[in-house]
Amino acid sequence: MNSVFEVSYSWNKEAIPTGGADPVYMMVEWRYGAPAKRLRKIAPKIMSRDLELLLKPEFGVQLKGIYGCRSKETDIGWVLRLGDVLKGESKQILLEFAVGPHLSGKAAICSAYWSTRKLKQSQRVLLRREQLYIQYTSHLGMLRQPEDPKVEKTIKLNETVPLLKQALRAYERGRIEEGSEMLRRHADALLIEAARKQDMDYFTEAEIVEKLRYHYGITFTTGHHNPQRAMLGE
């Protein structure tokens, strides 16, 4: 049915060691109905407004990072604001957890509550509720399995925004070479991934980083933005 709200959860690793792991990543994807076609002749239909995901981590589990949406910690858990949902449009976020030791087997990590507002109403409706689990093991074969490539890619691409913020702070404080080197290393790492995996998304991301490095280089080496030159009255 096209009206079905679909959600998928993917861990970056098939299993984690019984001693626990930090960090562990989960990619969450959702959509209403069949995947959207790239070319649309009409505007996509809004299926729900103000979608929210409430996450309640289990005891001993920390939700350390939320990437791709606005979020807020409350008394009952973390509220993730995901915006409107268009028919057939797929969206995703990345969650970073720290989990403690546990016996081998499946263990609960957190509860997830999806809710939305009815169209043209303020009432919030619960769409689905589920418990999320992870597999603990001491089996070396399982622990050595490669990471999920889709989740690994999402992790790598989500490193760009916090790194840009960190580099920008360095530029603003006059540490031009430090900021430039941070961006250069990240762009190089993305290019290596692009070549290794033959994935143009990595190449596109590397291009964006290099363009910003060039832009920041010009902007922050002018007299107006260079603190040392400004102090000398140049």
Side-chain angles (χ1 to χ4, degrees):
M1 294 175 60
N2 288 341
S3 60
V4 173
F5 180 64
E6 298 182 359
V7 181
S8 66
Y9 305 93
S10 305
W11 291 106
N12 63 314
K13 294 184 178 182
E14 180 182 348
I16 62 171
T18 53
D22 177 15
V24 182
Y25 293 94
M26 170 185 277
M27 186 174 69
V28 185
E29 297 179 279
W30 67 93
R31 72 164 185 263
Y32 252 115
K37 297 179 181 179
R38 292 190 177 182
L39 297 177
R40 291 184 182 273
K41 293 183 179 179
I42 57 174
K45 180 181 179 182
I46 295 178
M47 302 299 291
S48 71
R49 293 191 181 277
D50 300 329
L51 183 70
E52 284 188 357
L53 171 59
L54 170 63
L55 296 174
K56 296 182 178 182
E58 296 292 328
F59 179 77
V61 175
Q62 286 183 292
L63 180 53
K64 298 188 68 177
I66 300 169
Y67 309 98
C69 69
R70 293 182 297 121
S71 61
K72 180 177 70 173
E73 188 175 14
T74 70
D75 293 338
I76 58 173
W78 285 90
V79 176
L80 283 56
R81 296 188 172 92
L82 307 177
D84 296 342
V85 182
L86 305 181
K87 184 176 181 181
E89 179 186 51
S90 296
K91 290 188 176 182
Q92 64 182 38
I93 55 172
L94 186 69
L95 306 176
E96 178 185 350
F97 291 94
V99 295
H102 197 279
L103 297 175
S104 293
K106 192 168 68 169
I109 296 299
C110 70
S111 300
Y113 301 81
W114 295 85
S115 66
T116 186
R117 293 190 193 280
K118 286 187 175 181
L119 297 181
K120 300 181 181 179
Q121 295 184 28
S122 60
Q123 181 183 359
R124 183 162 289 280
V125 178
L126 183 66
L127 290 174
R128 55 191 290 164
R129 175 195 179 281
E130 47 217 341
Q131 193 80 22
L132 308 181
Y133 297 88
I134 198 168
Q135 183 73 29
Y136 281 86
T137 186
S138 55
H139 191 285
L140 291 179
M142 290 183 67
L143 294 175
R144 289 172 180 165
Q145 289 295 315
E147 291 197 9
D148 182 301
K150 194 172 181 180
V151 183
E152 184 184 17
K153 175 179 174 179
T154 304
I155 294 170
K156 195 70 179 176
L157 295 181
N158 271 280
E159 290 174 354
T160 298
V161 171
L163 187 137
L164 285 175
K165 292 179 180 178
Q166 189 178 351
L168 184 56
R169 283 196 296 269
Y171 278 104
E172 289 173 341
R173 293 170 183 174
R175 303 197 301 269
I176 308 299
E177 291 186 6
E178 178 185 337
S180 177
E181 182 63 15
M182 289 170 60
L183 297 183
R184 185 194 64 78
R185 286 199 305 267
H186 186 57
D188 287 349
L190 290 167
L191 288 173
I192 290 170
E193 291 297 314
R196 185 163 67 92
K197 297 175 180 173
Q198 297 296 298
D199 190 324
M200 287 300 294
D201 288 343
Y202 288 107
F203 180 77
T204 301
E205 190 82 354
E207 276 192 320
I208 293 170
V209 174
E210 276 296 338
K211 286 177 180 177
L212 285 171
R213 186 166 80 99
Y214 174 76
H215 172 71
Y216 290 161
I218 292 175
T219 302
F220 290 96
T221 52
T222 63
H224 179 69
H225 289 92
N226 190 317
Q228 292 181 343
R229 292 181 64 181
M231 287 174 65
L232 293 172
E234 296 180 15

